[in-house]
Amino acid sequence: MPDAETLERLVGALKASDGDSVIQTVESPGRVAIEVKPESIVGSLEVMRAAGYEFLASVHGVDYYPHEPRLGVDYELLSREACDRVALTLRVSTDDPQLPSVTPAWPCASNQEREAYDMFGLIFDGHPDLRRILMPEDYEGHPQRRDFPIGGEPVLFTHNEHNVPRWFE
Amino acid sequence: MSAADPGARQLSDYRKMEQSVTISETTEFDGDRELLTLNLGPHHPATHGVLRLLVTLDGEVIRRLQPIYGYLHTGIEKTAEQKSYWKAIPVVERMDYVSYYFNAMAYCGAVETLLEVEIPQRAQYLRVIHMELNRIMSHLVFLGTSALDLGAISVWWYCFRERETLLDLFEMSSGQRMHTRYFQIGGVIEDIPDGWIEQVRKFCAIMPERADIYGDLLNKNEIFLQRQRDVCPLPVETLREYGVTGPLLRAAGDPWDLRKTMPYSSYEDFDFQIPIGTKGDNYDRFQVRLAEVKESVKIIIQALDNLPDGPTITEDRKIALPPRYELATSMEALIHHFKLVTEGMRVPAGEAYYAIEGARGELGCFVRSDGSSKPARVHMRDPSLVNMQAAPAATEGWLIADMLATVAMFDPIIGGVDR
């Protein structure tokens, strides 16, 4: 995690490029996360890249149920030179889960953005190939959401497949 | 059954994009050349599990490669959310099923970061020993199965002989050959048994020589060399762009290894080198892993030589179970035991990302805690899933036989890709 001085410089750079992009800075043990506005994520990541955090290690989808706005995305950035990690986060609501995709600028995010779309229903505008990645293409719902029911999905065997409505579709 | 989906209205446009590739479009024309789209997998011996590859071919030349994942999706991350923290370890271990110690380490490390717990030195060393044994085991599986893909069958038998020795070592220290649940939050479950160190030393004495033998078996195999040398190279810039880490990145000449650059679990105590390649072709990818086996042996020997005494798990009774003998005499120990077994530990609210150098690259675990005794989100950044993004760039323009060799050298473990 960056020290206080570096963090201040990073937040300053983010604010300099887009005045009200930074919402808050969350510090937890061993980690600093800068929450930014969803619409400014692409620009914010470019600022971070210019500041030396040139490797986007990971993209996580998160559901903050029952807090609003519910859905969140975490971008784990790594500076190879400083051997230092910092996270950018953002929050969107389930009513309008749209946010810009960072895949055009960071091709390494492609599969993980697809995964977040698949699991949480986050819609990454501008992703070149936003399809489900782990669940079947015709699956309904987004199973990693916290209010998605556990179980209840019939398991198809040869002895019961005809009892399950529309199993053939 | 599906959940209520408030985002369904906006999804409609993307629904169209979700349509799978239809077989009626299997023939395309590019000028006067006919392109053939061929479906490789999900059941194909050369795809290392149930990986499906959709390749568009111009004769034998690959024009487009499209990996399709998800055939092994088991919802482990969802399952982990239903379990208390310590009961999630066994399911997390089953993600990438040939590097279970790494999975457990990444998960435990993330939870330990949230708990801010100190890990005893002996536990850290035991973790290092087990992780490096696991790295050797994983590379042996890679070497055996990749050589098998390339027609060199005998290497497979030899590699699995050594792997068997390793699994016996795991069984001796933890009672299980695979998915050992040896790493716990706060340390390791128990101390190693008597005689284990001697067995590991015996293995370390033979392994470097065996690695040389396997290298010779393949290095003098003309067919193997022709399919590896200068095949499907990728420069460092492209690999970084696609987020590739681990042996694949090092094969291109970038000495990035989290064990050196951002040490965890006392890796800073050990003297070892990072093997790197020069060209980034398939041959380098194979050689880097072979050299890493020898470096892992070095680390294990150093860890055994300097193995400190002391406890193997934290003394914090809110996190680790009290020892059995205390239960008979101490009421407090009994209460702690009861609370831990029934409810589990409570972890302070927060988020943590803990990354380690797995056998295939940066294996990171993201854990979000809401203050309860179950994780609110567990997400694994699996190197296989991220590394596979570079596969199209590596193989397009090459022959289909080169593509199979390259997928073997990428070494994706589908359990990790799909989780």
Side-chain angles (χ1 to χ4, degrees):
Chain A
M1 59 186 279
D3 52 26
E5 196 182 312
T6 319
L7 182 63
E8 205 169 301
R9 189 167 52 77
L10 289 173
V11 174
L14 286 172
K15 282 182 176 159
S17 80
D18 181 0
D20 47 357
S21 61
V22 180
I23 297 173
Q24 58 170 334
T25 313
V26 185
E27 291 195 41
S28 46
R31 177 182 160 101
V32 170
I34 306 170
E35 189 182 337
V36 296
K37 281 185 162 173
E39 53 271 22
S40 63
I41 183 64
V42 177
S44 302
L45 281 173
E46 280 317 312
V47 172
M48 298 301 282
R49 181 164 11 210
Y53 293 85
E54 74 292 305
F55 185 67
L56 180 57
S58 188
V59 179
H60 321 288
V62 192
D63 186 353
Y64 290 91
Y65 180 83
H67 305 290
E68 288 292 339
R70 257 182 65 185
L71 301 176
V73 184
D74 278 29
Y75 301 83
E76 300 288 341
L77 289 155
L78 169 72
S79 166
R80 284 170 191 272
E81 208 156 304
C83 292
D84 189 26
R85 290 180 192 276
V86 68
L88 285 193
T89 64
L90 56 85
R91 298 280 285 269
V92 290
S93 70
T94 43
D95 301 327
D96 183 25
Q98 309 240 6
L99 65 154
S101 166
V102 302
T103 302
W106 306 77
C108 55
S110 174
N111 277 355
Q112 289 191 311
E113 282 194 340
R114 279 179 66 189
E115 188 190 339
Y117 159 67
D118 193 354
M119 293 297 161
F120 293 96
L122 289 156
I123 295 170
F124 294 91
D125 285 319
H127 190 289
D129 186 26
L130 196 69
R131 285 177 297 120
R132 284 192 183 274
I133 184 166
L134 299 181
M135 302 304 288
E137 283 116 4
D138 55 354
Y139 196 80
E140 283 178 26
H142 301 285
Q144 280 280 356
R145 287 192 180 183
R146 298 282 279 163
D147 55 357
F148 192 85
I150 312 283
E153 198 161 327
V155 179
L156 286 184
F157 297 104
T158 41
H159 72 86
N160 70 348
E161 59 182 8
H162 291 278
N163 304 335
V164 180
R166 310 188 73 79
W167 64 272
F168 44 84
E169 279 189 1
Chain B
M1 189 177 215
S2 67
D5 187 7
R9 208 167 355 109
Q10 290 88 349
L11 286 174
S12 56
D13 289 341
Y14 289 94
R15 211 62 192 155
K16 286 179 199 144
M17 296 169 69
E18 276 189 0
Q19 303 298 318
S20 62
V21 181
T22 50
I23 302 301
S24 61
E25 287 170 12
T26 50
T27 317
E28 293 174 41
F29 288 93
D30 177 24
D32 57 342
R33 303 185 66 84
E34 186 181 328
L35 299 185
L36 169 77
T37 299
L38 185 70
N39 188 39
L40 218 70
H43 296 290
H44 189 288
T47 51
H48 290 250
V50 279
L51 174 65
R52 180 175 162 203
L53 297 169
L54 210 63
V55 284
T56 305
L57 296 169
D58 175 0
E60 256 196 279
V61 178
I62 292 172
R63 286 288 185 83
R64 197 166 62 234
L65 176 82
Q66 200 184 353
I68 298 171
Y69 316 104
Y71 291 91
L72 208 57
H73 177 59
T74 41
I76 288 178
E77 286 168 3
K78 187 78 173 170
T79 312
E81 287 176 16
Q82 320 306 323
K83 309 244 173 235
S84 55
Y85 280 93
W86 65 301
K87 288 179 185 168
I89 300 171
V91 286
V92 169
E93 278 186 329
R94 278 158 177 77
M95 288 181 172
D96 181 344
Y97 43 74
V98 290
S99 50
Y100 26 92
Y101 281 110
F102 294 110
N103 293 342
M105 180 72 214
Y107 171 74
C108 291
V111 179
E112 283 155 6
T113 311
L114 286 170
L115 286 164
E116 294 183 87
V117 57
E118 189 100 353
I119 312 302
Q121 196 70 9
R122 187 176 175 86
Q124 295 192 13
Y125 272 56
L126 288 177
R127 281 179 173 186
V128 167
I129 295 170
H130 280 92
M131 281 194 287
E132 292 308 319
L133 287 173
N134 195 164
R135 193 183 308 276
I136 297 174
M137 192 274 264
S138 172
H139 284 349
L140 285 174
V141 172
F142 153 78
L143 197 63
T145 53
S146 319
L148 194 63
D149 289 350
L150 298 170
I153 296 174
S154 46
V155 182
W156 192 81
W157 306 112
Y158 294 122
C159 286
F160 270 57
R161 175 183 62 184
E162 256 59 72
R163 177 177 178 268
E164 202 62 26
T165 317
L166 282 166
L167 293 185
D168 287 345
L169 288 174
F170 294 160
E171 189 178 5
M172 197 171 164
S173 70
S174 65
Q176 293 287 326
R177 286 157 56 83
M178 295 177 78
H179 314 304
T180 55
R181 207 188 192 290
Y182 187 65
F183 293 3
Q184 297 293 306
I185 293 158
V188 295
I189 186 81
E190 59 184 5
D191 211 342
I192 44 175
D194 289 342
W196 192 74
I197 292 181
E198 287 70 47
Q199 295 290 330
V200 178
R201 280 192 196 282
K202 226 185 268 176
F203 173 78
C204 288
I206 56 163
M207 193 57 223
E209 192 196 334
R210 292 276 163 88
D212 286 337
I213 295 174
Y214 305 153
D216 285 347
L217 267 176
L218 294 169
N219 276 324
K220 292 178 182 160
N221 181 337
E222 188 58 28
I223 302 170
F224 180 80
L225 292 182
Q226 283 196 9
R227 290 186 69 180
Q228 296 287 69
R229 282 220 170 117
D230 299 315
V231 170
C232 298
L234 276 183
V236 175
E237 295 72 38
T238 316
L239 290 169
R240 282 189 185 169
E241 199 177 303
Y242 286 108
V244 177
T245 45
L248 293 178
L249 182 63
R250 292 194 282 274
D254 184 353
W256 178 259
D257 189 322
L258 289 175
R259 291 177 292 173
K260 278 273 190 217
T261 53
M262 302 169 85
Y264 51 92
S265 196
S266 294
Y267 265 112
E268 64 275 15
D269 296 356
F270 305 112
D271 176 34
F272 62 99
Q273 295 186 332
I274 305 174
I276 58 166
T278 47
K279 288 183 188 163
D281 59 355
N282 277 346
Y283 185 70
D284 282 354
R285 291 167 188 151
F286 148 73
Q287 280 292 0
V288 160
R289 285 187 174 96
L290 203 59
E292 271 185 20
V293 168
K294 291 192 204 167
E295 294 303 317
S296 292
V297 170
K298 270 197 223 167
I299 298 175
I300 295 167
I301 292 173
Q302 288 172 53
L304 289 175
D305 287 343
N306 304 317
L307 189 63
D309 289 327
T312 55
I313 194 160
T314 175
E315 309 263 304
D316 190 340
R317 293 282 183 262
K318 302 268 183 229
I319 296 166
L321 291 172
R324 179 70 187 82
Y325 62 86
E326 267 187 28
L327 294 183
T329 52
S330 159
M331 188 65 204
E332 222 175 31
L334 204 60
I335 295 169
H336 282 312
H337 185 276
F338 181 77
K339 284 291 277 181
L340 269 176
V341 171
T342 51
E343 191 199 355
M345 68 197 79
R346 283 184 182 259
V347 175
E351 292 173 356
Y353 178 73
Y354 192 84
I356 61 168
E357 185 71 30
R360 288 167 192 78
E362 176 174 330
L363 178 71
C365 188
F366 171 84
V367 174
R368 173 180 167 252
S369 167
D370 55 4
S372 71
S373 61
K374 290 175 183 173
R377 170 84 169 126
V378 177
H379 183 248
M380 207 55 110
R381 182 245 194 237
D382 196 277
S384 301
L385 176 70
V386 181
N387 288 355
M388 273 308 280
Q389 293 177 138
T395 53
E396 276 161 17
W398 292 85
L399 300 181
I400 193 158
D402 297 332
M403 187 273 283
L404 289 178
T406 307
V407 170
M409 289 299 138
F410 268 58
D411 191 26
I413 295 294
I414 307 304
V417 172
D418 293 347
R419 299 187 297 287

